[in-house]
Amino acid sequence: MRLKVFSSSSKGNAYALIDSKGNSLLLECGVPVVEIKKFLDFNLEGIQGCLLSHLHGDHSKYHKQYLDSGIHVAMGIETATGLGIENHHRVKIIEANRKYTSMLNEFTVIPVNMVHDTPCFGFVIKHEEMGNLVFITDSYYSPFKFSNITHWLVEANYSEGIIDSEGYGTTNSLVRNRVLESHMSIENLVKLFRANDMSKTKNIVLTHLSDTNSNEKEFIKIIQRSTGKMVHVASPGLVLDISINPF
Ligand SMILES: [Zn+2]
């Protein structure tokens, strides 16, 4: 199983999970669909679907291209109505805390409610090749604890230290307050990992780092130190083997 990062920032968010048979599950619609097609060598039949967390443009901007390409996109009802696509035949409305399977039953998905300034899902995704992966984006904190998680794909947007330091980081107070109430700080992420059983965890991938209010090297160090796990930053182009038993 591979995790591919297409983009992970306020400019656009898109990821894919691709198993050894070529089945893939897409996360978010934040890059032009042609980028996805190229990476998958135009093997669109292998795409089991796409999960969309919420309606903000950096996650949903290219949803129409995905739907037009025959890709089924799953999302909450508020996201669908907000985008005006609730009746589209390739939109699948999903509900929090229910279990869904992909078209070929390869991936199992449970959406969970996150804490953002608009309704937003996180997802627990299961596949026999990777175990359980948690995807959390655009959330102030996680209202849930998770168990048996082998991989975390999780937002580390800003540092409370950087955002409040004078002369560095976001100085516009409106932006600052919005970020503080709707995105995950590195400090809250440390608390999240402390509250969860991390014994099965193999990889932590930090996503959605702010351009101005984060520090990549520092963030990796902080999370490595507090969890003792492999920590990566979701740089565009990253391909990570997240198999449970890599060769
Ligand atoms: Zn958002």
Side-chain angles (χ1 to χ4, degrees), residues 59-118:
H59 300 258
S60 71
K61 188 172 174 188
Y62 297 98
H63 68 272
K64 201 169 173 310
Q65 290 185 5
Y66 285 54
L67 295 169
D68 289 347
S69 298
I71 299 169
H72 289 79
V73 185
M75 65 195 80
I77 184 67
E78 297 94 342
T79 302
T81 48
L83 294 170
I85 51 173
E86 67 274 23
N87 295 320
H88 193 289
H89 62 289
R90 289 199 189 98
V91 168
K92 182 172 173 57
I93 304 297
I94 50 176
E95 292 171 24
N97 309 319
R98 289 188 56 182
K99 196 187 266 188
Y100 298 91
T101 49
S102 64
M103 284 190 280
L104 299 175
N105 296 330
E106 303 282 355
F107 295 90
T108 305
V109 176
I110 301 175
V112 286
N113 283 316
M114 286 295 141
V115 187
H116 197 35
D117 52 6
T118 188

Side-chain angles (χ1 to χ4, degrees), residues 8-98:
S8 179
S9 74
S10 55
K11 292 188 196 81
N13 293 277
Y15 315 87
L17 299 167
I18 308 114
D19 76 9
S20 62
K21 294 180 212 140
N23 298 308
S24 58
L25 181 67
L26 310 180
L27 309 175
E28 313 288 36
C29 311
V31 297
V33 77
V34 67
E35 284 192 39
I36 312 283
K37 290 181 181 176
K38 273 188 199 156
F39 182 75
L40 296 175
D41 290 330
F42 295 87
N43 170 25
L44 297 193
E45 297 92 77
I47 299 176
Q48 305 288 293
C50 177
L51 306 174
L52 177 58
S53 63
H54 68 298
L55 53 67
H56 285 155
D58 53 334
H59 300 258
S60 71
K61 188 172 174 188
Y62 297 98
H63 68 272
K64 201 169 173 310
Q65 290 185 5
Y66 285 54
L67 295 169
D68 289 347
S69 298
I71 299 169
H72 289 79
V73 185
M75 65 195 80
I77 184 67
E78 297 94 342
T79 302
T81 48
L83 294 170
I85 51 173
E86 67 274 23
N87 295 320
H88 193 289
H89 62 289
R90 289 199 189 98
V91 168
K92 182 172 173 57
I93 304 297
I94 50 176
E95 292 171 24
N97 309 319
R98 289 188 56 182

